[in-house]
Amino acid sequence: MFHTIELPADFRTADFLAFHRRDLQSVAEQVGTRFIRKGLIWNHQPACLTIHFRHQTAEAELSVDGSCESYGQDKLSAMVKRMLGLTQPIDTFEQTYRNHPQLGPLILRNPGLRVPLAATPFEALTWAITGQQISVPAAISIRRKLIQRTGVKHSDGLMCYPDAAQIALLNEITLRETGYSQTKARTLLNLSAMILENQLPLDEWIETSLPVDEISARLLSLRGIGPWTLNYALMRGFGWLDGSLHGDVAVRRGLQALLGHSEKISEEQTRDWLMPFSPYRALIAAHLWALSIE
């Protein structure tokens, strides 16, 4: 399947590619200067998504090992647009806050900034669980081992990020061997079981008007998923831009730099500062991430 998507003039290709370039060993993603190849599960089958960035267009190709008749062009288009952040109201946000004393300069530093998304909400959610309270390099290593342990490979050799069915085939001992704590291992297995039982219909939710309250209630009922994990997954998996990521260390570090404070800013202070900017709190967090690494 092929699909070509028009890109806005200010699209930040480098941001998108950097997000998917996190694992330099490239077991499930191969990222170049103007392309990405990503292994994933499509309709329960190994697949490879390739996106080439041309002049103001993104050319997407999906190669599936098997039939993909039940998931066609519209689904591919929706997934790629979501991954690229093209469904996010960036223009409205920037027009609203371009003259704000703090957000105005923040926007000027990174105009057109969007939040790159994972291919699926499940990938975003499992990545959020993996990354809880550990460093990014440690989370990347565990993620890689999980992909290798589930062992799904596309016919071109690229490994595929597992879906709930693949993780459900594992057990707690196996997950512990890949680096997960006991709590995280149990959370992943419980999450996968609930998805397979359709108690967490992630794919249905993404195709409808996003029922954030329902999603939040169901996910927070799972031991091992708290507010940070929920809001990060809603942002990276669904493109919801109003989650408050005040518990994120890099967000607080960015806010400290923005406000010019000599002392560290607390979670409570960050939460209170972000609150008036609803429904864009997660997007502002992304701007603060960018600021914290400059």
Side-chain angles (χ1 to χ4, degrees):
M1 286 191 292
F2 296 87
H3 189 69
T4 299
I5 296 172
E6 297 290 329
L7 298 175
D10 62 354
F11 185 77
R12 300 162 59 99
T13 303
D15 289 357
F16 176 79
L17 294 176
F19 173 68
H20 290 281
R21 194 185 282 117
R22 292 167 296 178
D23 188 351
L24 298 181
Q25 292 194 26
S26 304
V27 298
E29 295 93 5
Q30 294 177 350
V31 182
T33 55
R34 300 290 294 176
F35 76 90
I36 176 175
R37 296 175 65 248
K38 178 176 176 61
L40 49 85
I41 305 296
W42 181 273
N43 195 24
H44 312 297
Q45 298 172 98
C48 178
L49 172 67
T50 302
I51 304 175
H52 284 281
F53 292 94
R54 313 295 186 189
H55 179 66
Q56 298 306 125
T57 63
E59 298 177 0
E61 177 184 0
L62 186 71
S63 172
V64 182
D65 288 347
S67 173
C68 57
E69 294 178 359
S70 60
Y71 290 80
Q73 202 81 8
D74 290 345
K75 187 175 178 66
L76 173 62
S77 174
M79 179 179 70
V80 174
K81 287 179 179 178
R82 190 171 59 249
M83 290 176 67
L84 298 175
L86 298 181
T87 61
Q88 299 167 20
I90 304 304
D91 291 342
T92 302
F93 165 72
E94 295 190 352
Q95 290 170 9
T96 301
Y97 292 110
R98 64 177 49 171
N99 296 319
H100 188 276
Q102 283 101 31
L103 293 189
L106 197 64
I107 291 168
L108 284 175
R109 283 175 178 266
N110 289 289
L113 186 146
R114 301 168 188 273
V115 177
L117 267 62
T120 66
F122 181 74
E123 181 179 352
L125 187 51
T126 51
W127 168 249
I129 293 168
T130 302
Q132 292 169 351
Q133 299 180 327
I134 61 175
S135 69
V136 173
I140 290 171
S141 175
I142 294 171
R143 176 185 186 270
R144 182 191 316 125
K145 292 174 183 176
L146 176 67
I147 294 169
Q148 293 170 328
R149 186 58 65 97
T150 50
V152 181
K153 185 178 290 188
H154 185 255
S155 56
D156 70 355
L158 197 64
M159 301 207 73
C160 301
Y161 194 87
D163 61 7
Q166 295 298 325
I167 290 182
L169 295 174
L170 305 179
N171 56 42
E172 186 178 320
I173 294 174
T174 301
L175 289 171
R176 292 296 304 277
E177 291 173 348
T178 66
Y180 286 96
S181 67
Q182 182 181 71
T183 298
K184 289 182 181 180
R186 290 177 178 177
T187 301
L188 283 178
L189 292 173
N190 290 335
L191 172 71
S192 299
M194 290 182 70
I195 290 171
L196 294 177
E197 294 166 2
N198 206 36
Q199 296 181 48
L200 293 171
L202 301 183
D203 292 338
E204 293 178 21
W205 282 337
I206 207 166
E207 294 174 357
T208 61
S209 172
L210 196 62
V212 172
D213 291 343
E214 180 182 0
I215 295 172
S216 300
R218 294 198 192 183
L219 289 178
L220 290 174
S221 70
L222 270 173
R223 184 168 183 256
I225 294 182
W228 181 88
T229 302
L230 169 70
N231 286 322
Y232 187 88
L234 283 169
M235 177 185 69
R236 291 291 194 197
F238 293 94
W240 189 59
L241 298 181
D242 197 28
S244 181
L245 293 165
H246 56 274
D248 191 280
V249 173
V251 169
R252 299 201 302 273
R253 186 166 59 242
L255 182 58
Q256 180 183 350
L258 177 66
L259 300 181
H261 287 191
S262 57
E263 297 183 357
K264 292 183 178 179
I265 294 179
S266 69
E267 290 189 29
E268 293 76 15
Q269 289 172 313
T270 305
R271 179 198 60 208
D272 293 344
W273 188 85
L274 287 170
M275 194 173 296
F277 302 118
S278 178
Y280 301 109
R281 289 176 292 176
L283 178 57
I284 293 171
H287 276 274
L288 293 173
W289 278 328
L291 182 61
S292 71
I293 62 175
E294 288 182 358

